[in-house]
Every structure is written in structure tokens, then in C-alpha cells.
Amino acid sequence: MNMIIMGPPGSGKGTQASRIAEVYGVPAVSTGDMLREAISNGTQRGLEAKAFMDKGELVPDQVVIDIVKERLAEADAQQGFLLDGFPRSAVQAESLGETLAGAGKKIDLVINVAVPDDEIIRRLSRRRVCPKCNAVYHLDHQPPKVAGMCDKCGADVVQRNDDNETTIAHRLEVYRQNSEPLIEYYRNMGLLVEVPGTKTIDEVFGEIRAHIEGKL
Ligand code: AP5
Ligand code: MG
Ligand code: ZN
């Protein structure tokens, strides 16, 4: 099954994506994680993306479109995938549709996770992430077992550069302007399911599971 998980910054896309990937055996393809990897590897793409990401702006469409095309061509994505953080603009959504159609594929399910702004700010200001394996933590809701250390790989967890109050506010504006309209786009295609993201991580996952099972 080919899926997309959408929602504002901090809605829990990455948290839910890693659970979905584990249970359904599909790769979670996160453009944010891939861009941060490019930055830490010091690649040309990473250098190009960093300034946009630090400001909370979208990285130019063509850069992310190319990254996703390459990733979806890999062997492990042929039996299904889950996109997290892509598409985020009308141009990206159109391009994805065309690329998949060219390969005789399509999107089967789009999961939209909704969370109000005040909760987003609470979540992102206390988030920690693992720069090595991309595991996501929260100092109150989902703390690492040993303070400061990733449960999965032992690396030191860090705060993302864009998780400060000013940049979070800008990311929300950018989301409203560019990405939120995709809810309607996928609803019109009959692919959208809506999941409230304010319950516990387990409860949100339970609802997502029910929607996926309904499509299998
Ligand atoms: P990206 O990395 O995708 O960031 P984002 O969309 O802002 O989303 P986040 O990763 O911040 O949040 P999330 O929804 O994954 O939440 P999480 O699970 O971590 O993109 C970063 C940047 O890259 C963009 O600004 C842009 O510059 C660039 N970029 C990426 N894709 C692009 C594209 N397609 N086009 C152009 N540019 C692109 O959870 C958040 C916190 O809440 C965590 O601490 C977690 O533990 C906690 N939490 C999760 N669920 C719950 C719950 N149910 N209850 C309580 N706490 C919870
Ligand atoms: Mg994320
Ligand atoms: Zn880790």
C-alpha cells in the first residue's frame, strides 16, 4: 500500500510514521529526515537546503521532488511506502501523481493528522530527536529511557535548529499557506482520512491502524 501522512509541524507525523513502518513493513520516507541527513553529510543538496530549513521556509520544490523520486525508485519502496512531509505544495502533489502514474502506481491512502496550534508549540518546544537514527522523543510524553540518550542507537539526542518559538510560528504560517490546501486536494480524490492527533500516541496509532486495515 502506498500512503501519505500529512499534518502541521509537530502533529506527530514522524512518531506515527515509524510505528506504521514497523507494523506494515513499508519504508517511512521523510523528506525532513533526508534533508537533515544531507546537511549533516555536507552534500551540495544539504548546503542548498539548510538556509531554507533554518528559517522554516520550504526547500524549493525541484530539490525535494528529485530526492523523493530517487528514494521511491529504490528496491524497498516497490511493495509500498509511507511518505512523511511530502507533498507539501500543489506542485509537489502534481509531480508525485505523475511520477507514480508513469510507473503504473498510485496513492492508496492519505492520513491527515490534525492538532491545534497551542498543542503544537507545547510539543515542539520540548521535542528531542536523534541525529543518527531520527528517533523522536518528548521530554514529558515520550522521554528517552536514559536522559539525553537515544533508546535505539545510543547517540546523544538534540533539539532541532528549527524548534524555536519564532521558527515554529513561521513553519505554521508556511503550512497554512502551502500545505493545508492539500487536504482538500486529496479529499476530492477520495483518498483522505482524518485522524485527530490530540489523543495519546497509542490512541492516535490505533485510529490510523483501523483506517489502514479498512483499505487492505
Ligand atoms: P519536517 O522535518 O517534515 O518538519 P515538520 O513538518 O515541521 O514536522 P515535524 O517533523 O516538526 O513534526 P512531526 O509531525 O513529524 O511530529 P513528531 O512526530 O516529531 O520538515 C522540516 C523542514 O524541512 C521544513 O520546514 C522544510 O524546510 C523542509 N522540508 C521537508 N519536507 C519538505 C517538502 N516536501 N518541501 C519543501 N521543504 C521541505 O512529534 C512532535 C513532538 O510531539 C515530539 O516530541 C513527539 O514526541 C510529540 N508527540 C507526538 N505525538 C504525540 C501525541 N499524540 N501526544 C503527545 N505528544 C506527541
Ligand atoms: Mg517529522
Ligand atoms: Zn538513535
Side-chain angles (χ1 to χ4, degrees), residues 63-85:
V63 176
V64 279
I65 286 172
D66 289 347
I67 292 178
V68 170
K69 261 191 199 162
E70 285 167 22
R71 182 64 187 87
L72 294 187
E74 285 176 32
D76 66 337
Q78 303 317 305
Q79 304 309 318
F81 55 79
L82 170 65
L83 289 166
D84 158 13

Side-chain angles (χ1 to χ4, degrees), residues 1 8 21 24 59 75 99 115 127 150 158 184 204 216:
M1 180 142 60
Y24 294 98
V59 172
T99 304
V115 174
R127 172 167 65 180
C150 177
V158 298
E184 202 53 38
V204 176
L216 285 176

Side-chain angles (χ1 to χ4, degrees), residues 72-203:
L72 294 187
E74 285 176 32
D76 66 337
Q78 303 317 305
Q79 304 309 318
F81 55 79
L82 170 65
L83 289 166
D84 158 13
F86 183 94
R88 247 172 157 103
S89 68
V91 172
Q92 293 176 22
E94 296 286 345
S95 161
L96 175 66
E98 282 164 23
T99 304
L100 291 176
K105 297 181 181 177
K106 61 180 174 47
I107 293 296
D108 303 301
L109 183 66
V110 179
I111 302 155
N112 186 59
V113 187
V115 174
D117 288 6
D118 53 345
E119 172 68 10
I120 285 172
I121 292 159
R122 264 197 299 279
R123 287 186 185 180
L124 292 184
S125 45
R126 296 195 42 91
R127 172 167 65 180
R128 296 293 180 274
V129 297
C130 174
K132 226 170 148 188
C133 76
N134 301 313
V136 178
Y137 299 95
H138 188 280
L139 294 180
D140 312 309
H141 307 143
Q142 205 186 7
K145 291 192 183 98
V146 178
M149 199 177 98
C150 177
D151 296 351
K152 293 185 181 147
C153 77
D156 288 344
V157 299
V158 298
Q159 189 161 28
R160 265 171 49 178
N161 273 352
D162 57 350
D163 279 350
N164 61 76
E165 217 174 311
T166 319
T167 313
I168 294 169
H170 189 58
R171 282 157 65 198
L172 281 168
E173 278 171 32
V174 169
Y175 168 76
R176 295 267 125 73
Q177 180 88 28
N178 298 280
S179 314
E180 200 172 47
L182 294 180
I183 296 176
E184 202 53 38
Y185 177 87
Y186 286 115
R187 186 184 287 130
N188 290 336
M189 290 171 76
L191 296 175
L192 190 85
V193 296
E194 294 184 80
V195 174
T198 40
K199 297 183 188 162
T200 66
I201 293 170
D202 285 341
E203 285 168 333

